Amino acid sequence: MTEQDSVNNLHGRIALVTGATRGAGRAIARALADAGATVYCTGRSTSQTPSDYGRAETVQETADLITAAGGRAIPVITDHLDPDAVRALIQRISAEQDRLDILVNDIGGEAYVKFGLPLWDQDLAEGMKLFQTGFTTHLYTSHAALPLLLKNRGSLVVEVTDGTRSYNASHFRESVFHDLTKTTVDRLAFAQGHELAHHGGTAVSVSPGWLRSEMMLDAFGVTEQNWRESAQANRGKPDALPPYEFVISETPALLARGITALAADPRRARWNTQSLSSFSLAEHYGLTDVDGSRPDAWSFITDMETTQVDQLEVHNYR
């Protein structure tokens, strides 16, 4: 299957993308809609109640972008930490569509990540906000949505996390709360996959590489036009921002294209319970990022641990 093959072949499919306000969630919602799916876009941010990230994007804007491109999107303001609100969301989808084919859990909780602090120095309540936002939201949503998903065989659950299973198994993710949150999301996909298999469903975890989202560009003080030069200039400068590893970053589109191709694949069950990356999906389905590249971020980051920076050639990983 090539990138072109995944276009316009999700017609009639109903998708729910949580955390669709910005970044990967917005890109995934747009890609699924571009391929013909009707997409329910959820998030908490509105123009009256800004996000915990202090950003202005809203789920309504995501839906407007989809509609402007000719797709069908239904924005629903939902707090996925409220089980009653999640159940009401699924009841609405059931009443309006009588089916749900694709669930993408993409709420991350990065607003609460605190790096550089050991567990005993971290604020417990703030650490638990990360775990609850980044993991418990996924659990609540799957718990409510799975009965509707299982009404039809071939359903797909995608748990978006940070880091592949193999990478996270051998690397501490800098913070106990961050480490637990991201590895637990992957385990949730693994566990769901075993239960869904008996009903013709598939569950996977998927990780982007180094995501060049709106938030990340702003955090590093760079733009989509100058990020590459800024990162290259910091080669050999370990404390500089953006760090040199940013040269292997990718836009949210690469992850979104991979998930869309996976959803459109009639043989997607072959991936059940697995941990996938934006790169592995792109490689398998013949996809590229918006600039025509195919960044292999996790291999690059791993190789940096054993190879001097000046001996790594970025083009070998793109």
Side-chain angles (χ1 to χ4, degrees):
M1 180 183 290
T2 65
E3 187 170 331
Q4 187 61 37
D5 293 327
S6 70
V7 175
N8 295 327
N9 55 4
L10 291 180
H11 287 287
R13 306 278 286 282
I14 308 300
L16 167 59
V17 180
T18 74
T21 308
R22 65 185 66 81
R26 174 174 283 188
I28 294 164
R30 295 182 70 180
L32 291 172
D34 285 346
T38 296
V39 184
Y40 282 78
C41 306
T42 66
R44 292 184 297 176
S45 302
T46 70
S47 56
Q48 290 75 38
T49 57
S51 74
D52 295 344
Y53 300 92
R55 299 189 61 86
E57 299 96 347
T58 68
V59 70
Q60 181 64 57
E61 290 175 352
T62 300
D64 290 344
L65 289 169
I66 291 172
T67 302
R72 186 174 182 218
I74 302 169
V76 185
I77 303 302
T78 307
D79 182 354
H80 285 264
L81 276 173
D82 180 347
D84 290 337
V86 176
R87 282 191 291 269
L89 166 68
I90 301 304
Q91 288 168 2
R92 173 177 172 175
I93 297 173
S94 179
E96 294 177 352
Q97 311 295 339
D98 195 34
R99 67 183 299 146
L100 180 62
D101 303 287
I102 303 161
L103 168 62
V104 180
N105 279 319
D106 183 51
I107 299 174
E110 281 76 14
Y112 306 111
V113 177
K114 296 294 183 183
F115 293 122
L117 291 174
L119 176 61
W120 55 89
D121 283 338
Q122 292 212 25
D123 181 88
L124 182 60
E126 200 160 83
M128 287 306 299
K129 279 185 178 179
L130 168 58
F131 186 77
Q132 291 163 352
T133 305
F135 169 71
T136 306
T137 56
H138 294 228
L139 187 65
Y140 286 168
T141 306
S142 286
H143 180 266
L146 288 179
L148 183 56
L149 276 159
L150 294 178
K151 287 186 68 173
N152 297 287
R153 295 183 67 84
S155 59
L156 173 66
V157 177
V158 177
E159 299 289 348
V160 179
T161 188
D162 177 18
T164 62
R165 190 173 300 163
S166 59
Y167 183 89
N168 286 344
S170 58
H171 292 79
F172 173 52
R173 300 309 306 276
E174 300 183 61
S175 154
V176 167
F177 287 109
H178 185 248
D179 189 285
L180 288 175
T181 300
K182 300 308 178 182
T183 55
T184 306
V185 168
D186 170 55
R187 189 67 185 189
L188 176 60
F190 178 81
Q192 287 180 99
H194 280 84
E195 296 188 342
L196 289 173
H198 302 294
H199 304 275
T202 298
V204 299
S205 69
V206 179
S207 173
W210 195 315
L211 198 65
R212 200 165 66 252
S213 64
E214 315 97 320
M215 285 179 57
M216 190 61 72
L217 288 169
D218 290 347
F220 289 151
V222 294
T223 66
E224 188 61 32
Q225 289 68 46
N226 68 10
W227 66 269
R228 193 188 306 272
E229 292 75 16
S230 296
Q232 287 280 10
N234 290 332
R235 189 168 185 163
K237 303 175 183 178
D239 297 324
L241 293 178
Y244 173 63
E245 299 97 301
F246 202 52
V247 295
I248 204 67
S249 63
E250 64 198 52
T251 74
L254 187 65
L255 177 68
R257 291 171 176 179
I259 289 173
T260 301
L262 174 66
D265 185 352
R267 298 181 58 209
R268 57 190 166 276
R270 78 184 99 172
W271 305 111
N272 191 35
T273 75
Q274 292 191 35
S275 164
L276 307 171
S277 68
S278 52
F279 172 77
S280 64
L281 286 171
E283 187 174 49
H284 179 83
Y285 290 112
L287 308 171
T288 61
D289 205 344
V290 293
D291 63 358
S293 68
R294 188 181 295 157
D296 185 5
W298 295 109
S299 292
F300 182 81
I301 293 168
T302 301
D303 287 349
M304 282 194 69
E305 298 170 4
T306 57
T307 306
Q308 291 188 5
V309 169
D310 59 3
Q311 296 177 355
L312 286 174
E313 296 298 334
V314 177
H315 64 81
N316 292 331
Y317 299 86
R318 299 186 72 89

